[in-house]
Amino acid sequence: VAAERPSRYEMTEEEYARLQTEAASEINEAKRELKQTTDTELLNDPALKDFDLENYDSENSSDEEAQDGPHIFSNIKGLSFYAEDEQDPLINGEDDAELEAEEAEEERVFATDNLLLVAKTEDDISSIDMCVFEPESDSLFVHHDFMLPAFPLQVTWLDYRVGRKAKMEGSGNYVAVATFEPRIEIWDLDTLDAAYPDLVLGTTDKKALRKAKGKPHKEFHTDAVMDMSWNTNVRNLLASSSADTTVKLWDLSSAVCVQSYEHHKNKVQAVQWHPSDSSVLLTGGYDKRVSVFDSRAPNAISWWTVDADVESVMWDVHSPSHFYVATDSGLVRYFDVRMGENSAPVFTLVAHDEAVSAMDQHPTMPGMLVTGSSDETVKVWDVRDKPSMVMSRNPDVGSIFSAKFCPDEPMLLAMGGSNGESRIWDMATTMQIRRAFGGAE
């Protein structure tokens, strides 16, 4: 649950020291790379061409000197003059209280608000937006955001308190963010203007990462983090999968990797905890294999082989002995774990012409499955008896990256895609869905 009145970020002395250390490390790294780059390579860098560095010292500065003369402010209009300081509202602070009250009201988060996390990259700048959706006006607006160090790949919400609020009672409001960087950042969503995550899982030591050269390491990821899953039953545990071929188990209370699994032979695209059995993990990778295993006994693994690279995996919350697997070939398979490894799927959906890049299930209506694809369509399926497609829709967001049901209003589906847009679909207003699922809510 989000805080009604988010607090503002305040930098501590420890964080100042940490940032100084990291800045010094970045500067030393830049100096090291600069020594390996010749002057000719720098001058020929396309990004620096516009600055004409070859002629930098010979530029005529007379124009600049003319601009710095005594008339620099002569063209500014609308200046106000007050005989006494007490008359100037910018000095006496008369407007401050009213302005602060207005800002506080705008920042307020109501219990009835539906919140949506949007990870995006625009003009090479990546960020997380915490958006508020108001169904009455059908409006979606950004409440606050924070910057990311690299292109985001996946986000996971969790309520386990970490960082500066770790000792506070009750649950928190956090998001774990996976990017192309080989680490996970956890941000407090109840803090405005945050400059730094509350917790970082993995190493920031570039020397150690260079030494690892992308090979598996027991203590941290060495390549992009592809997926994450928070354990809602053992709330201090977060699982992650990576392009370094490993799956890692993190203790959020200590920010330490407590277990590393290397059973896949290629990038591990997907990982998910079992909804009720708190130690069981489901993983899928680019080795075209899916595994189910107990995290306490990782050598006892059950395997299923599929036709293409795995895009996502998902336990059936309405029948926890079953799971879905979506692949790059556009197929969705449904397996029964009780039938044993490499058993045939219960059914297979020829879902899309291209990769199934998004998949979710209705949290309260058994059998309602949603898939999204790089073919730019979102499809609704009824898989209760004889699986069939209910409808297909193009939400006009480009290739589909994500499609998720709202846990509090399950007939609302949030969709995001390659063109940077987000859409909210009220599925209760669609005749085909009402006809197929009756009184679904």
Side-chain angles (χ1 to χ4, degrees):
V1 178
E4 181 178 352
R5 299 188 182 277
S7 59
R8 291 203 171 273
Y9 184 83
E10 294 183 4
M11 187 78 76
T12 64
E13 292 296 330
E14 292 79 6
E15 287 171 331
Y16 275 119
R18 179 174 57 187
L19 289 177
Q20 288 175 343
T21 301
E22 291 184 359
S25 176
E26 293 285 345
I27 291 172
N28 291 334
E29 177 69 16
K31 288 180 178 178
R32 188 189 69 81
E33 293 178 355
L34 191 60
K35 287 181 180 179
Q36 299 174 355
T37 306
T38 65
D39 291 342
T40 302
E41 288 175 328
L42 281 175
L43 293 173
N44 291 330
D45 187 342
L48 301 176
K49 281 288 186 182
D50 293 340
F51 296 98
D52 192 19
L53 297 180
E54 288 185 281
N55 302 314
Y56 181 80
D57 293 330
S58 61
E59 287 182 356
N60 189 344
S61 60
S62 59
D63 292 339
E64 295 178 5
E65 293 173 356
Q67 292 178 6
D68 292 336
H71 304 293
I72 188 169
F73 296 113
S74 61
N75 293 325
I76 296 180
K77 299 179 181 180
L79 293 178
S80 298
F81 175 78
Y82 297 93
E84 301 292 338
D85 287 347
E86 289 76 9
Q87 299 174 357
D88 188 346
L90 296 178
I91 296 178
N92 62 32
E94 288 181 359
D95 296 337
D96 289 353
E98 183 178 349
L99 183 60
E100 289 178 2
E102 291 178 359
E103 290 180 349
E105 192 61 27
E106 290 177 357
E107 294 166 356
R108 188 177 177 187
V109 178
F110 295 91
T112 55
D113 287 340
N114 287 315
L115 304 182
L116 175 67
L117 290 174
V118 177
K120 64 180 183 180
T121 298
E122 292 181 345
D123 299 327
D124 296 328
I125 298 176
S126 299
S127 64
I128 291 284
D129 294 346
M130 194 181 94
C131 302
V132 175
F133 176 65
E134 295 180 344
E136 296 81 7
S137 58
D138 195 31
S139 63
L140 182 69
F141 63 90
V142 178
H143 185 273
H144 63 276
D145 61 2
F146 47 86
M147 307 298 293
L148 297 177
F151 190 94
L153 295 176
Q154 210 261 357
V155 297
T156 296
W157 182 85
L158 53 111
D159 68 12
Y160 186 80
R161 290 194 180 276
V162 299
R164 63 181 69 198
K165 297 181 180 179
K167 296 182 179 180
M168 294 178 61
E169 295 183 357
S171 58
N173 183 26
Y174 295 85
V175 60
V177 184
T179 70
F180 273 118
E181 297 291 333
R183 52 186 173 270
I184 299 167
E185 295 185 348
I186 299 180
W187 295 78
D188 182 6
L189 294 172
D190 290 337
T191 300
L192 304 178
D193 303 326
Y196 199 81
D198 279 52
L199 190 68
V200 176
L201 303 176
T203 184
T204 57
D205 187 344
K206 290 190 174 183
K207 184 177 181 180
L209 290 171
R210 285 199 306 271
K211 185 177 180 181
K213 296 181 180 179
K215 296 179 180 179
H217 193 284
K218 292 187 178 298
E219 297 179 2
F220 50 82
H221 285 304
T222 59
D223 207 337
V225 179
M226 311 298 289
D227 197 14
M228 300 174 292
S229 180
W230 174 52
N231 194 322
T232 57
N233 299 301
V234 184
R235 294 171 50 250
N236 65 306
L237 294 182
L238 180 75
S240 62
S241 62
S242 171
D244 65 12
T245 75
T246 70
V247 174
K248 284 182 166 46
L249 187 57
W250 302 90
D251 182 355
L252 297 176
S253 62
S254 61
V256 170
C257 175
V258 294
Q259 188 66 265
S260 182
Y261 310 102
E262 301 180 17
H263 52 290
H264 281 281
K265 303 304 180 184
N266 206 327
K267 297 178 181 179
V268 190
Q269 176 70 14
V271 61
Q272 191 178 71
W273 288 104
H274 193 276
S276 57
D277 195 333
S278 61
S279 61
V280 174
L281 279 168
L282 171 66
T283 66
Y286 278 21
D287 54 4
K288 302 179 182 179
R289 297 196 300 170
V290 177
S291 75
V292 173
F293 65 98
D294 191 316
S295 58
R296 300 168 299 182
N299 294 324
I301 302 176
S302 296
W303 290 101
W304 285 262
T305 302
V306 293
D307 69 308
D309 294 342
V310 174
E311 289 289 331
S312 61
V313 297
M314 179 175 65
W315 290 103
D316 186 346
V317 296
H318 307 292
S319 180
S321 59
H322 295 79
F323 61 88
Y324 298 90
V325 180
T327 64
D328 187 64
S329 62
L331 302 182
V332 175
R333 290 179 172 84
Y334 186 67
F335 291 96
D336 185 345
V337 72
R338 298 169 299 182
M339 300 299 292
E341 66 177 1
N342 275 326
S343 56
V346 177
F347 64 78
T348 299
L349 299 177
V350 183
H352 295 270
D353 295 330
E354 299 181 24
V356 180
S357 50
M359 179 172 60
D360 200 17
Q361 59 192 310
H362 195 282
T364 61
M365 173 58 68
M368 185 188 291
L369 178 72
V370 167
T371 60
S373 170
S374 49
D375 65 11
E376 302 189 1
T377 64
V378 170
K379 296 183 179 181
V380 182
W381 304 85
D382 184 351
V383 298
R384 286 175 293 186
D385 297 315
K386 185 179 180 180
S388 60
M389 187 181 72
V390 176
M391 69 172 297
S392 176
R393 178 176 181 178
N394 186 332
D396 195 26
V397 296
S399 298
I400 308 300
F401 288 166
S402 181
K404 292 292 182 183
F405 284 103
C406 174
D408 298 314
E409 294 189 39
M411 292 309 290
L412 295 179
L413 183 75
M415 301 164 289
S418 58
N419 67 8
E421 298 292 329
S422 300
R423 298 280 187 271
I424 305 293
W425 177 14
D426 186 354
M427 302 174 73
T429 63
T430 306
M431 179 62 69
Q432 297 99 309
I433 294 176
R434 295 205 307 269
R435 185 182 302 120
F437 295 99
E441 296 182 355

